[in-house]
Amino acid sequence: MKILIFYASYGGGHLNAAKSIHECLKNDYKDKNVDVELIDCMKYVNKALEKMTTKAYNEMAKKMPWAWGRIYSDSQRGPLAHITSRSNKIMAIKLLRLLREKQPDLIISTHPFGSQMCSYLKRKGKISAKIATIMTDFAPHDQWLVGSDYTDYYFVAHENMKKYLKRKGIPDSKIFATGIPLSSRFLKDFNKEEIFKELHLEPNKKTILFFGGGEFGLGKTRTVEIFEGFVKYCKDMQIIAISGKNEKMKLAFEKIVSRHRKKDSILVFEYTSQVPEFMSISDLVVTKPGGLTTTESLASHLPMVIINPIPGQEEKNAKFLVKNGIAIWIKKQDNVEETLKNLFSHPETLETMKENTKKLAKLHSTKDICDILLNG
């Protein structure tokens, strides 16, 4: 069985979801004689366009998030929605060359562009492969639904998204509330004592995992303010701070740690491949609410403090998480220390938030998706 997995490089979540599916299919379905490939569909269709649009997305998310929010909203309806669909039809013709060469039986897409191009080609009778769309956020957007008549499977984060798709006229038999694909590393039973020892941290202290926003440096000034608020207020706690590929943020974090003489209880990393390990020893995560990080936090049963969501999908994710009692959202006008005082002076609040994560966590999402596609 020939399977292609399409993603696009607009944020890391689409790629990581695709990688999780790819890993699962290759490792767990050898008896099915599966031949699976992972492809950046936008890069294949037009490298120059992909490079330009990826850079535009990154710059807009970093410097003009309000503009990205407007595009996100407008692309759901009105002229921009039709322009996007029309441009995808043009690009689909180029993608057809790849599909004729590979002759896939199944196409899995973790980005709406891939689904749109393939559903257009299927409508025109150019391909006959089954099409599966994996939605990688906790709130729906209608761009994912373009070409739904020719899409065979929709995989969504939770039951409310399934209800939304049904209201849009998509048959119940096509929609599966499996959750967003999750790396198998988050299912491992880590030796927490060893991790604390390796990091020179105290196992009996509360541990906070703080994500600074990575390479985009979103809301850098506000992120640094919030980080300092945690350092000042959480005196009896320890913090693991991740600045990602953002050197300036790493230096800002390190200055705060040095100024408050907290080198023994606060660790700052520029980059780490140990997110599953760090989450396994943490009591709380501070982060932007991207689909992937949210999925990982839920799987690790971590209450969330949300900072700097990008207008559009991340703000919708934030509202969903707050509504479901999993997160608190520190907004621009909020006093950080006052917010933390309210949170930590009521231990039962954190405990309730942790319990609520268990209601939404989909620990076996990746395996469930692959089972449905190969055995359904």
Side-chain angles (χ1 to χ4, degrees):
M1 185 180 193
K2 179 66 182 179
I3 302 173
L4 298 183
I5 305 174
F6 286 152
Y7 69 93
S9 302
Y10 304 108
H14 308 294
L15 170 58
N16 284 307
K19 279 181 174 177
S20 295
I21 295 291
H22 183 255
E23 175 194 38
C24 184
L25 287 172
K26 286 195 77 172
N27 295 341
D28 297 351
Y29 295 87
K30 291 174 183 172
D31 61 320
K32 297 282 186 183
N33 196 24
V34 170
D35 177 12
V36 56
E37 281 186 70
L38 194 61
I39 297 170
D40 185 332
C41 59
M42 286 298 291
K43 192 171 281 186
Y44 178 85
V45 166
N46 191 319
K47 278 187 182 178
L49 177 66
E50 186 273 340
K51 192 173 182 182
M52 180 183 73
T53 53
T54 303
K55 186 177 180 183
Y57 167 78
N58 292 350
E59 288 297 307
M60 204 177 293
K62 180 162 64 175
K63 295 175 181 174
M64 296 184 295
W66 57 268
W68 173 252
R70 178 66 62 84
I71 289 172
Y72 175 88
S73 177
D74 289 350
S75 66
Q76 181 140 306
R77 59 190 177 275
L80 191 57
H82 296 294
I83 290 168
T84 308
S85 301
R86 201 171 298 125
S87 65
N88 280 334
K89 288 174 188 175
I90 295 165
M91 292 187 289
I93 305 305
K94 293 199 75 174
L95 192 65
L96 182 58
R97 189 191 316 151
L98 173 74
L99 296 174
R100 282 178 171 160
E101 176 195 331
K102 302 290 184 182
Q103 291 292 311
D105 302 292
L106 171 65
I107 301 163
I108 302 168
S109 184
T110 63
H111 192 280
F113 288 174
S115 298
Q116 288 176 13
M117 288 188 279
C118 291
S119 62
Y120 171 75
L121 292 171
K122 195 169 181 178
R123 178 164 68 85
K124 290 294 183 180
K126 304 289 186 183
I127 62 170
S128 58
K130 289 201 169 184
I131 300 171
T133 294
I134 299 174
M135 297 172 72
T136 52
D137 276 301
F138 283 79
H141 188 289
D142 285 359
Q143 279 289 329
W144 289 99
L145 310 185
V146 173
S148 61
D149 287 348
Y150 297 89
T151 301
D152 301 278
Y153 304 90
Y154 278 99
F155 297 99
V156 298
H158 52 83
E159 287 293 335
N160 282 343
M161 283 181 72
K162 180 172 181 174
K163 290 174 186 172
Y164 178 87
L165 266 62
K166 284 170 70 176
R167 288 198 300 272
K168 288 287 181 175
I170 296 171
D172 181 85
S173 58
K174 285 187 179 186
I175 316 164
F176 303 88
T178 52
I180 295 168
L182 178 74
S183 167
S184 60
R185 289 181 63 204
F186 287 88
L187 304 179
K188 287 185 178 179
D189 189 13
F190 293 107
N191 185 328
K192 296 181 184 182
E193 198 175 308
E194 283 295 316
I195 298 169
F196 278 119
K197 190 176 178 182
E198 184 187 319
L199 296 173
H200 303 289
L201 294 175
E202 298 289 334
N204 58 340
K205 281 189 175 180
K206 277 200 183 298
T207 303
I208 296 163
L209 182 58
F210 192 108
F211 288 104
E215 60 187 304
F216 295 159
L218 296 162
K220 177 179 174 288
T221 304
R222 182 59 171 161
T223 300
V224 171
E225 281 174 14
I226 292 170
F227 179 72
E228 185 153 27
F230 270 89
V231 172
K232 280 158 56 175
Y233 185 81
C234 305
K235 291 174 182 170
D236 299 321
M237 303 179 197
Q238 49 203 8
I239 300 173
I240 301 170
I242 316 291
S243 65
K245 297 174 182 176
N246 192 319
E247 181 63 27
K248 288 180 181 176
M249 192 166 288
K250 181 174 181 280
L251 292 172
F253 284 176
E254 287 173 341
K255 281 181 184 175
I256 291 168
V257 172
S258 181
R259 188 161 66 243
H260 290 275
R261 298 176 185 175
K262 291 278 190 177
K263 288 184 180 178
D264 291 339
S265 60
I266 301 177
L267 304 177
V268 178
F269 292 87
E270 186 172 7
Y271 173 79
T272 181
S273 59
Q274 292 184 286
V275 171
E277 289 86 343
F278 292 169
M279 282 194 171
S280 76
I281 63 167
S282 297
D283 300 283
L284 177 75
V285 63
V286 185
T287 182
K288 290 164 67 270
L292 181 74
T293 307
T294 298
T295 299
E296 293 168 351
S297 301
L298 290 173
S300 304
H301 302 313
L302 289 176
M304 298 173 69
V305 173
I306 292 168
I307 59 172
N308 303 325
I310 302 173
Q313 68 269 43
E314 287 191 354
E315 282 195 350
K316 284 191 172 185
N317 289 348
K319 288 172 184 174
F320 172 80
L321 293 166
V322 171
K323 184 180 177 182
N324 282 273
I326 287 156
I328 62 165
W329 179 357
I330 300 182
K331 296 185 178 179
K332 195 172 182 179
Q333 67 277 13
D334 291 342
N335 181 290
V336 178
E337 290 186 54
E338 192 62 38
T339 304
L340 296 181
K341 184 181 176 183
N342 288 338
L343 178 63
F344 290 116
S345 60
H346 299 95
E348 69 279 3
T349 302
L350 272 175
E351 196 53 45
T352 301
M353 289 166 74
K354 184 172 183 174
E355 285 301 311
N356 288 340
T357 64
K358 296 174 185 177
K359 297 172 190 173
L360 277 179
K362 307 276 190 181
L363 297 179
H364 304 289
S365 54
T366 307
K367 187 75 164 61
D368 290 343
I369 290 167
C370 293
D371 274 345
I372 290 163
L373 290 173
L374 270 64
N375 300 323

